[in-house]
Amino acid sequence: MKLVSFLHAGRPCWGAATDAGIVDLGRRLPQFGSVTAFLEGGDAALQQARAVLHGAAPDHALDGVRLQLPIPAPRKIFCIGVNYAHRNAEYKDGSDLPKYPSIFMRVPDSFVGHGSALLQPHESQQLDYEGEIGMVIGRGGRRIAREHALHHIAGLTCINEGTIRDWVHHAKFNVTQGKNFHASGAIGPWLVTADEFPQGYGALRVQTRVNGEARQDGNTAHLMFDFAYLIAYLSTFTTLEAGDVIATGTPTGAGIRFDPPRFLRPGDVVEVEVSGVGILRNMVEQEP
């Protein structure tokens, strides 16, 4: 099931995207006021939604609504840095593979939904792309055992974890500034529920294209810290909740790594494609 959050006639709604269009589940399941509330309902809610979707006619065309983040206001957004083994070598610093994951946080308004503009800010010309697979938590918990961790995944989405590169280096011990510029990244177009991945998450492909040109191509088989490890590790120091988002890392090929660097410019179109999920597409605009 592809869960979407969207605006229709200025009103926030949620539902499921099908080949024919969007079915408004918020209208049909009013006990769930949002995708997050729906995820909190667990398997019982998912079964209700399947029953409602069976034979339901779409309420809206996909291009007749404005897609929002699949989870419009996630409580927590975790980002994992340098998680593909080849990326550690990309730094050319001779360091060994890390023992623990690198983690930083992002705020929700640093992301936009599918089809909305990524904004190049006035303060920098170094807006960069980072295509990633996003995990969304369904069943929360603290100190989740690794062997049970995958059962806590609600589903997957596409993420462009956009970065303002020069602002990443403003301080010695953090990257927060460069990772949280308004509308510098994107999430979407939807959340594909975990039952759509019966093969598991060990061989998922993530690709990034800029104006149709392939820039990144990675596979979760090369992750240093897999999905189960990340959930177990993060839940050691914080309680994971339904709707929390985990950006699982980007493969090699970000713009900063070219010589000379190839940063995004207004008019560029960025696509992030994840196998089993779909394509997240955004155009870059200069911030007004």
Side-chain angles (χ1 to χ4, degrees):
M1 189 182 305
K2 297 175 179 176
L3 298 173
V4 291
S5 297
F6 60 96
L7 293 178
H8 181 255
R11 182 174 63 90
C13 308
W14 73 278
T18 69
D19 291 341
I22 293 178
V23 176
D24 189 335
L25 291 178
R27 180 170 63 83
R28 292 171 170 82
L29 298 171
Q31 65 271 38
F32 304 116
S34 65
V35 172
T36 301
F38 175 75
L39 296 182
E40 290 171 341
D43 290 340
L46 195 59
Q47 291 175 13
Q48 291 179 60
R50 288 197 190 103
V52 166
L53 280 173
H54 183 70
D59 300 288
H60 311 288
L62 190 60
D63 60 2
V65 303
R66 181 179 177 185
L67 293 182
Q68 304 292 94
L69 306 189
I71 307 295
R75 298 180 181 99
K76 295 184 284 292
I77 303 174
F78 302 95
C79 300
I80 310 302
V82 197
N83 196 20
Y84 285 79
H86 299 99
R87 280 221 58 211
N88 194 63
E90 195 177 38
Y91 280 82
K92 299 179 181 179
D93 59 2
S95 64
D96 294 331
L97 294 180
K99 185 177 180 180
Y100 302 109
S102 298
I103 302 167
F104 55 92
M105 308 288 289
R106 287 188 68 143
V107 297
D109 67 5
S110 68
F111 290 105
V112 298
H114 173 84
S116 292
L118 300 173
L119 297 182
Q120 178 176 283
H122 301 293
E123 294 80 6
S124 175
Q125 300 295 307
Q126 295 190 13
L127 173 61
D128 204 352
Y129 55 86
E130 292 191 19
E132 309 199 14
I133 300 172
M135 271 194 293
V136 178
I137 296 297
R139 183 159 58 94
R142 178 84 195 279
R143 297 190 176 95
I144 298 167
R146 186 172 182 178
E147 58 266 29
H148 303 308
L150 297 184
H151 298 298
H152 291 255
I153 298 175
L156 303 183
T157 189
C158 307
I159 296 180
N160 178 1
E161 206 267 293
T163 303
I164 307 300
R165 290 295 179 190
D166 46 352
W167 279 67
V168 165
H169 301 292
H170 275 196
K172 185 175 182 179
F173 293 117
N174 68 74
V175 298
T176 300
Q177 304 92 314
K179 292 290 189 176
N180 281 282
F181 264 77
H182 183 74
S184 56
I187 304 177
W190 37 63
L191 166 64
V192 178
T193 53
D195 57 303
E196 299 288 340
F197 299 91
Q199 76 282 9
Y201 310 107
L204 299 176
R205 188 180 186 187
V206 55
Q207 303 169 79
T208 306
R209 294 180 290 272
V210 178
N211 302 325
E213 177 191 4
R215 295 284 185 89
Q216 294 182 290
D217 192 345
N219 192 293
T220 54
H222 301 136
L223 288 178
M224 292 184 285
F225 304 103
D226 63 19
F227 291 2
Y229 180 94
L230 292 175
I231 290 172
Y233 185 83
L234 291 169
S235 69
T236 304
F237 65 84
T238 190
T239 299
L240 296 180
E241 301 172 276
D244 286 350
V245 177
I246 304 170
T248 57
T250 197
T252 58
I256 187 65
R257 298 301 163 192
F258 287 86
D259 185 15
R262 302 176 70 181
F263 297 120
L264 298 173
R265 293 289 181 261
D268 287 346
V269 176
V270 186
E271 294 178 316
V272 176
E273 182 172 4
V274 174
S275 54
V277 178
I279 299 174
L280 169 67
R281 183 181 296 107
N282 302 87
M283 181 178 283
V284 180
E285 294 183 2
Q286 179 65 53
E287 186 175 12

